[in-house]
């Protein structure tokens, strides 16, 4: 371009979709002191805790004060999630226990569960994030327009802590 010419560049950016925070709990607003099966209301919704309690000991791994401490049991939503986009939580091995094997699962009926992932807990609080994009939903054979229950299941007798559960709906993901 000569000195009397101008060059104009036009860029078009596609908007990246951002999902909606549908549910969040850090378990600070709930209490459950025993491992037997029972429900708690936290974050304004009901969860079933089986072989699990709300732990607040110094040996409980947590983000900000309280977390679920779970033996061989589960944390399960008693509400359904439609149009799930992303599920995020922290998990780690409780105290000096050995590692645990943990399943992340979805179900339309609370009887037949689809395993999204299986992981082994560590001695530190780790972030777990599941983005329900086309690749994941196709591999799982699920349709996010269906209503799903969500569950985190500990399959071993060693204890695991879970904290800061967030469920997003819509499109996109939170980085």
């Amino acid at each position: 371009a000569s000195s009397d010419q101008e060059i104009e560049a036009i860029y078009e950016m596609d908007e990246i979709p951002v999902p909606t925070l549908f549910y969040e709990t850090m378990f600070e607003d709930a209490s459950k002191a025993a491992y037997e099966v029972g429900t708690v209301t936290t974050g304004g919704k009901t969860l079933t805790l089986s072989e699990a309690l709300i732990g607040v000991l110094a040996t409980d791994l947590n983000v900000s004060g309280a977390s679920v401490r779970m033996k061989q049991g589960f944390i399960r939503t008693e509400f359904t999630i439609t149009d799930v986009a992303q599920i995020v939580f922290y998990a780690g091995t409780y105290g000096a226990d050995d590692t645990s094997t943990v399943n992340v699962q979805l179900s339309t009926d609370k009887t037949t569960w689809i395993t999204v992932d299986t992981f082994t807990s560590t001695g530190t609080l780790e972030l777990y994030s599941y983005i329900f994009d086309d690749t994941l939903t196709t591999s799982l054979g699920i349709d996010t327009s269906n209503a799903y229950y969500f569950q985190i299941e500990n399959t071993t007798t060693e204890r695991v802590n879970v904290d800061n559960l967030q469920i997003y709906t819509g499109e996109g993901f939170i980085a």
Side-chain angles (χ1 to χ4, degrees):
S2 65
S3 61
D4 61 341
Q5 294 178 323
E6 291 182 17
I7 297 176
E8 182 176 332
I10 300 173
Y11 298 96
E12 182 177 320
M13 297 193 55
D14 290 333
E15 287 216 17
I16 298 171
V18 177
T20 302
L21 181 61
F22 172 74
Y23 176 72
E24 179 177 33
T25 181
M26 294 186 75
F27 301 102
E28 269 74 36
D29 63 343
S31 64
K32 184 175 180 290
Y35 282 105
E36 74 267 354
V37 67
T39 60
V40 296
T41 299
T42 177
K45 295 190 181 289
T46 302
L47 303 175
T48 294
L49 304 183
S50 175
E51 288 297 310
L53 54 78
I54 306 295
V56 293
L57 299 176
T59 47
D60 283 299
L61 297 177
N62 61 71
V63 174
S64 65
S67 63
V68 172
R69 183 188 325 141
M70 181 173 30
K71 292 181 180 180
Q72 189 171 1
F74 58 82
I75 304 166
R76 180 180 65 213
T77 63
E78 291 304 320
F79 55 90
T80 57
I81 307 132
T82 303
D83 201 22
V84 63
Q86 185 175 5
I87 296 175
V88 179
F89 61 89
Y90 289 85
T93 302
Y94 168 77
D97 285 13
D98 284 334
T99 61
S100 294
T101 302
V102 180
N103 292 323
V104 178
Q105 301 175 315
L106 295 173
S107 174
T108 57
D109 60 8
K110 296 192 283 187
T111 301
T112 304
W113 292 91
I114 299 164
T115 300
V116 175
D117 186 33
T118 299
F119 65 87
T120 301
S121 67
T122 68
T124 59
L125 209 55
E126 302 282 338
L127 175 66
Y128 294 89
S129 178
Y130 302 94
I131 299 168
F132 291 83
D133 58 12
D134 289 342
T135 303
L136 181 59
T137 58
T138 299
S139 72
L140 296 173
I142 65 170
D143 180 349
T144 59
S145 67
N146 292 335
Y148 289 98
Y149 296 93
F150 172 70
Q151 157 172 296
I152 301 169
E153 174 193 42
N154 184 4
T155 64
T156 58
T157 56
E158 301 299 324
R159 294 166 292 182
V160 64
N161 287 117
V162 175
D163 200 9
N164 199 18
L165 171 61
Q166 299 173 331
I167 300 171
Y168 293 88
T169 58
E171 292 184 30
F173 62 93
I174 303 299

